[in-house]
Amino acid sequence: MRLYIAIPCVLLALVFAASGIAGITRGWVLPENRHRVRRLRLYGWGQLVAAVALCRQMLFSTVLSDPDTLDPHIREWGILSGGALLLTGIILMGVSQRARGARQGTGTP
């Protein structure tokens, strides 16, 4: 167990999750990101998903690193799914920074 790596990463993930919850519930984003983010709640969901992914990766890579605790395949799949969640969170945050498309017409003649 390498807790000297896991504890700061989990604390960082908690701060990231708190920022994501603030974005979801209140529509609040850090001042550095306010001018870029167009959809506040989606950005908050992306932060929350990325925080869960970081915690999941730390759990499977450092805390459960003893070979006797888990089957190595379960550990690998846990780390891989954490990476997929992290990528999903980053994609959500990226999509939230894009401007919404303006509709050209109503579609009726």
Side-chain angles (χ1 to χ4, degrees):
M1 245 193 291
R2 295 174 290 220
L3 290 179
Y4 62 91
I5 295 173
I7 291 174
C9 286
V10 169
L11 289 175
L12 179 69
L14 286 175
V15 169
F16 210 54
S19 178
I21 290 172
I24 293 169
T25 59
R26 303 278 184 211
W28 183 83
V29 178
L30 289 170
E32 296 86 24
N33 296 334
R34 283 185 188 153
H35 66 283
R36 289 183 287 191
V37 176
R38 304 280 184 243
R39 293 181 236 163
L40 301 172
R41 291 192 178 17
L42 185 63
Y43 190 79
W45 277 110
Q47 282 186 318
L48 196 58
V49 168
V52 168
L54 184 59
C55 286
R56 184 175 178 92
Q57 284 185 326
M58 284 297 110
L59 175 73
F60 280 101
S61 66
T62 60
V63 178
L64 301 177
S65 62
D66 187 21
D68 296 333
T69 22
L70 278 179
D71 182 33
H73 297 294
I74 294 174
R75 185 171 167 239
E76 290 171 2
W77 280 105
I79 294 171
L80 184 65
S81 64
L85 276 175
L86 184 62
L87 183 62
T88 303
I90 290 171
I91 289 172
L92 284 175
M93 287 187 283
V95 167
S96 71
Q97 294 179 5
R98 296 190 61 191
R100 293 183 182 178
R103 297 180 100 183
Q104 296 296 324
T106 61
T108 58

